[in-house]
Amino acid sequence: MFLLIELLVLLGCLLAMVAASQVVAARLAVPESTLLCILGILVGTSYVAVNTVAPGFAHFFVEPLVNPNLPADAYLWIFLPPLLFQVALTVDVRSMMQDAAPILLLAVVAVIVATGLIGLALGGLSPYGWPVCLLIGAIVATTDPSAVVGIFREVGAPGRLIRLVEGESLLNDAAAIALVTVLMAMISDPSVPLSWESGLSSLSVSFGGGVLLGLIVGRITAFILPLLGEIALAETAFTLAIPYPVFLFGNEVLGVSGVVAVVVTALVINGLSHARLSRHNWNHLQLVWAQIASIAGAIVFLLASVRVPQMLSGMNWADVGYLLVAVLAALLARLAVLYLFLPLLSALRLSEPISHTYKLAITWGGLRGAVTLVLAMGMAENSSLPENSRHFIAIMATSFVLFSLLVNGSSLRTVIRKLGLDKLSPQEQALQQQAIELSTLDVEATVKRIASTFHIDPHIATEVNQRYRAHLASSALDLDAALPDRERLAIGLVTLAAREHELIRDYGSGIIGVANLDAMLRNTGKMIDEARTNGRIGYNRAARRILKPTLSYRLAVWLYRYGRWKGPLASALADHYELMICRRVVLERLRYYNASRLNPLLGERMAGILDSVLAARIELVDQDLRQTRTQFGQFTDLLERRLLWLFALRKGRAALEEMVAEQVISREVYNWVQKALDSAWRDGVERPDLHAHTFQPKPAASTQPTSDEESSPAPVAKSDAPSLTSVAAEAELAKLTVNPPRNTGEAEA
């Protein structure tokens, strides 16, 4: 019982220290990791003094921090899986895939190169031998993104630079830990030959096995999540159950990298869950994981930093010299990878060129953090190493972390500014000024309206508006001169495609099939890429791809035409029709978005061009819908009836929720009606048994068909039959964000 009380008190103290550090770091604009490191060192250094003055307090509060009854590996087991899982769960996978080649180069090749150069440099000077020095190189090869990314975002560094650093740090932890594991296995077992060939072979098996395990678990998880009844709490709880079993199963059972498996699992879940979870549930999941990772990262950094004085005990001037050699070797390794290997990727067209300023920022931004400290603690307590080697590893790794945090971390903002990476491009500056001007006009009108409502002196409102405008320092500009038509059109098309990607997610939760959502989300990703590189032509080319009948659709038509097999055709037609309906509604919402948002930002003429692009896409979809209705009228009637029924249920739920919020009806009344709505939703969201119906075309006149005879698909012909996506229906659908019914007990946004 006393041990449990001690652990709970220790946890409370740690959380209080983390909260205080986060507040101070935010106010002083200091990286949180640097502040936690300093705080931990102070706690560890003051232990002797506190123990002399107040031994009871020191024994109860400080000693568990300095000398916890945990092996050093336990820190990795406890804290690393959720940290890596959360980072991989929040990154923009699609954007990261554009720079997959340079990210893999920085995350894997750079770790191997740094390990080799640091090991060779220290091995040639120190008396501790090549294996130990290579182990030091692997320990300090991993970087910590938390401080670096925070600084980059604060100074306004380019988004691609942030993605490169995030992607590198996401995978280089896994590569470094896998490399440390391989080196330790070779050092611990004298029968295993220490050679580059055997080391790389073992690393490949460990890394590749982790990737395969992560792909399998990620796919299984993505399949199970939609089966949890759209309950946000259940979905979040299920993801919380993933990292530790995957990590331990990979490490202890399969003998592969559990760290790699955890990262790949989270990346797969991240990439697939946008089409499987509602926006509300996905945001809830992200929020929970962000809080867990923030606390875990801060605690492990604090606990590791507390033991820094102990690990640095006995450091001498020779060790200082070895440290400087290791730092120089690490910088040279980073520069070699960035300036020798990255241009090769560009020459092979595997990556867009990366500027010299980016390379210098990445080089100087290679801060080390908690993972390096925890690995050093593990080596310091590993009995398979000689005592003097363990002490040397602890000193080198710990002092390397302190050097990177105190030297690189404190000067990184200055380096970013000197390199000019805190400045926006001319295109971004033009858009920024236009956005500021538009928001300023809106603010000025609002301030005047408020002043008039509350009878405030108009001169005061004018003074506030002038102060606001002066504070933002916005100035009028000629947008046509600042941004050429080609660039503005590309910006508008990319923005429309990105907005389309977000709107598509509103129609999940069973309304549109997961396969259709996946297809549309992938298609919008291609539209973004094509618009950036090939402008309007590329955008339209990518947008038309999804209209082409798939191989399964063509096969289903062939099977029905020649074998009267209705099942495959029913399923294929349902998928195709759902996709077209969803695409049609989203396009109408995009036209409204273009008129209300992009028109003021890009100008009326450019908004008109964008609207014509959307109108052409709508006409293609309408033509496809007319063809489908003409050929399979009775079939499409069932699908349209289902969609309108779901719309009616969602509209009714929204109206009732508004009544509860306005206290027109009680929560008890709402809960009673909600049960009926939930039951109707569960029945309605299921597709009708379409293969049991005929594929009759719609009759030319508004009369019932005289025969129920089946007919084969008729030739395509245009029809002016009333469409589900008429103007009135589109207006209603555009106003409504279609979400699944909220379940009892689900956390509110």
Side-chain angles (χ1 to χ4, degrees):
M1 177 61 76
F2 181 77
L3 178 62
L4 178 60
I5 294 174
E6 189 178 55
L7 288 175
L8 292 175
V9 172
L10 174 62
L11 179 61
C13 292
L14 287 173
L15 291 175
M17 295 169 68
V18 168
S21 300
Q22 290 172 340
V23 172
V24 175
R27 292 185 177 179
L28 298 181
V30 176
E32 183 184 338
S33 56
T34 302
L35 193 62
L36 286 169
C37 184
I38 295 173
L39 179 61
I41 293 173
L42 290 176
V43 172
T45 306
S46 64
Y47 172 63
V48 176
V50 174
N51 191 38
T52 303
V53 177
F57 177 83
H59 174 74
F60 195 74
F61 289 99
V62 184
E63 186 174 357
L65 292 173
V66 179
N67 296 308
N69 294 320
L70 288 174
D73 288 347
Y75 291 109
L76 283 178
W77 287 27
I78 295 172
F79 296 106
L80 195 59
L83 284 174
L84 295 178
F85 192 87
Q86 187 270 337
V87 175
L89 203 63
T90 56
V91 298
D92 187 348
V93 177
R94 194 199 61 78
S95 297
M96 187 179 293
M97 290 303 296
Q98 298 174 7
D99 287 312
I103 286 174
L104 288 175
L105 180 72
L106 291 170
V108 180
V109 177
V111 168
I112 297 174
V113 172
T115 299
L117 280 183
I118 295 172
L120 291 174
L122 290 178
L125 297 174
S126 70
Y128 296 97
W130 301 105
V132 171
C133 294
L134 286 172
L135 190 58
I136 293 173
I139 291 173
V140 302
T142 179
T143 57
D144 179 17
S146 56
V148 181
V149 173
I151 293 173
F152 280 177
R153 294 191 190 281
E154 179 185 334
V155 300
R160 191 187 184 200
L161 178 59
I162 296 175
R163 286 196 302 271
L164 288 172
V165 173
E166 279 185 326
E168 175 201 7
S169 59
L170 180 65
L171 294 174
N172 70 3
D173 283 346
I177 292 172
L179 195 55
V180 167
T181 303
V182 171
L183 289 171
M184 276 304 304
M186 293 179 175
I187 295 173
S188 303
D189 187 356
S191 63
V192 179
L194 181 60
S195 65
W196 285 108
E197 293 81 5
S198 60
L200 290 177
S201 176
S202 300
L203 180 62
S204 300
V205 171
S206 177
F207 202 90
V211 170
L212 183 60
L213 176 60
L215 289 173
I216 294 172
V217 176
R219 282 282 182 178
I220 294 173
T221 305
F223 174 78
I224 293 176
L225 283 175
L227 305 179
L228 299 180
E230 290 291 343
I231 302 175
L233 298 178
E235 293 166 353
T236 303
F238 185 70
T239 59
L240 291 173
I242 299 299
Y244 290 113
V246 171
F247 179 78
L248 295 174
F249 185 72
N251 274 354
E252 304 302 319
V253 178
L254 299 181
V256 300
S257 175
V259 175
V260 175
V262 168
V263 170
V264 175
T265 298
L267 287 175
V268 173
I269 295 172
N270 185 355
L272 297 178
S273 293
H274 291 283
R276 289 158 173 79
L277 302 182
S278 68
R279 190 190 305 273
H280 168 266
N281 289 13
W282 177 251
N283 292 338
H284 175 265
L285 186 149
Q286 296 272 41
L287 181 63
V288 172
W289 269 108
Q291 186 63 44
I292 291 173
S294 174
I295 294 174
I299 288 178
V300 70
F301 209 103
L302 187 59
L303 289 174
S305 301
V306 166
R307 302 182 65 179
V308 165
Q310 178 183 344
M311 290 192 292
L312 288 179
S313 62
M315 186 175 182
N316 53 42
W317 286 108
D319 294 328
V320 174
Y322 296 144
L323 170 65
L324 295 178
V325 170
V327 170
L328 181 60
L331 287 174
L332 290 176
R334 209 158 172 79
L335 288 171
V337 171
L338 289 167
Y339 281 92
L340 295 180
F341 290 97
L342 276 182
L344 182 61
L345 292 180
S346 300
L348 296 174
R349 297 185 178 181
L350 296 175
S351 168
E352 292 293 324
I354 297 176
S355 67
H356 294 305
T357 54
Y358 279 28
K359 295 174 183 176
L360 292 174
I362 292 172
T363 300
W364 196 251
L367 275 64
R368 272 58 174 182
V371 173
T372 299
L373 285 177
V374 171
L375 288 173
M377 290 163 55
M379 297 303 105
E381 297 180 4
N382 195 315
S383 58
S384 62
L385 294 171
E387 176 65 30
N388 61 340
S389 297
R390 284 186 279 163
H391 189 229
F392 183 62
I393 292 173
I395 288 176
M396 285 294 100
T398 304
S399 57
F400 200 105
V401 171
L402 293 178
F403 183 91
S404 70
L405 288 176
L406 299 178
V407 177
N408 297 60
S410 62
S411 58
L412 186 57
R413 286 184 180 82
T414 303
V415 171
I416 292 294
R417 293 192 178 97
K418 291 292 184 181
L419 294 174
L421 293 174
D422 59 334
K423 297 180 176 62
L424 297 175
S425 66
Q427 296 83 2
E428 291 172 328
Q429 290 178 11
L431 289 175
Q432 180 198 51
Q433 292 183 28
Q434 182 73 349
I436 289 175
E437 180 65 22
L438 292 172
S439 66
T440 300
L441 293 174
D442 187 47
V443 168
E444 289 175 346
T446 303
V447 169
K448 290 179 180 179
R449 187 168 60 252
I450 293 174
S452 175
T453 301
F454 292 96
H455 306 290
I456 298 175
D457 192 333
H459 294 292
I460 297 178
T462 302
E463 180 183 342
V464 169
N465 285 333
Q466 290 174 349
R467 182 180 177 184
Y468 180 85
R469 182 176 286 274
H471 182 72
L472 291 181
S474 64
S475 57
L477 78 162
D478 184 359
L479 194 63
D480 291 334
L483 281 177
D485 283 352
R486 182 182 179 87
E487 292 185 5
R488 277 195 295 158
L489 180 60
I491 291 171
L493 292 173
V494 170
T495 305
L496 285 178
R499 180 61 179 165
E500 184 172 350
H501 188 276
E502 291 301 310
L503 291 177
I504 287 169
R505 295 177 58 195
D506 291 342
Y507 300 95
S509 312
I511 298 175
I512 304 297
V514 171
N516 277 332
L517 291 174
D518 280 338
M520 286 188 288
L521 291 176
R522 288 195 303 269
N523 185 242
T524 54
K526 293 177 181 177
M527 289 161 58
I528 293 173
D529 296 337
E530 287 284 353
R532 283 174 175 161
T533 56
N534 299 313
R536 182 174 180 174
I537 295 176
Y539 174 90
N540 286 330
R541 181 169 58 229
R544 285 194 297 269
R545 287 176 189 167
I546 204 168
L547 300 176
K548 296 180 180 179
T550 62
L551 177 62
S552 60
Y553 181 89
R554 295 197 300 269
L555 178 61
V557 172
W558 186 87
L559 289 173
Y560 177 76
R561 179 172 295 157
Y562 296 103
R564 288 302 196 218
W565 194 0
K566 293 189 293 185
L569 181 58
S571 178
L573 280 174
D575 286 336
H576 182 75
Y577 199 73
E578 278 184 357
L579 188 146
M580 291 299 106
I581 287 291
C582 182
R583 176 57 62 95
R584 181 64 174 84
V585 174
V586 169
L587 286 173
E588 199 64 35
R589 294 178 67 179
L590 282 179
R591 294 186 75 178
Y592 174 78
Y593 175 78
N594 176 53
S596 60
R597 294 292 185 184
L598 298 187
N599 187 358
L601 187 64
L602 299 177
E604 185 174 349
R605 187 169 62 87
M606 188 56 59
I609 295 174
L610 294 174
D611 186 74
S612 67
V613 172
L614 294 174
R617 291 183 59 194
I618 288 174
E619 175 56 33
L620 289 175
V621 175
D622 282 344
Q623 181 180 351
D624 189 286
L625 289 172
R626 287 194 297 267
Q627 292 172 358
T628 306
R629 290 191 182 98
T630 300
Q631 291 180 282
F632 310 106
Q634 294 183 358
F635 182 92
T636 57
D637 282 347
L638 295 172
L639 296 174
E640 292 174 350
R641 187 176 293 110
R642 169 186 175 269
L643 183 61
L644 286 176
W645 174 240
L646 293 177
F647 169 76
L649 292 174
R650 190 66 194 122
K651 186 71 174 178
R653 180 179 297 279
L656 289 170
E657 288 177 350
E658 186 176 351
M659 290 181 179
V660 172
E662 296 174 354
Q663 298 185 353
V664 176
I665 61 175
S666 66
R667 172 62 63 175
E668 290 74 19
V669 172
Y670 172 77
N671 290 338
W672 185 82
V673 179
Q674 182 188 29
K675 294 178 181 179
L677 291 176
D678 286 346
S679 177
W681 182 277
R682 286 191 295 269
D683 293 338
V685 81
E686 295 292 333
R687 283 181 178 177
D689 190 12
L690 298 175
H691 68 274
H693 295 270
T694 62
F695 295 128
Q696 292 279 11
K698 282 190 177 181
S702 57
T703 59
Q704 295 297 325
T706 58
S707 173
D708 289 334
E709 245 180 76
E710 296 177 359
S711 62
S712 61
V716 174
K718 290 191 177 182
S719 170
D720 295 326
S723 169
L724 171 67
T725 51
S726 62
V727 176
E730 286 163 5
E732 287 298 316
L733 287 168
K735 294 177 184 177
L736 182 66
T737 297
V738 183
N739 285 321
R742 293 182 180 174
N743 293 275
T744 305
E746 182 180 353
E748 295 293 332

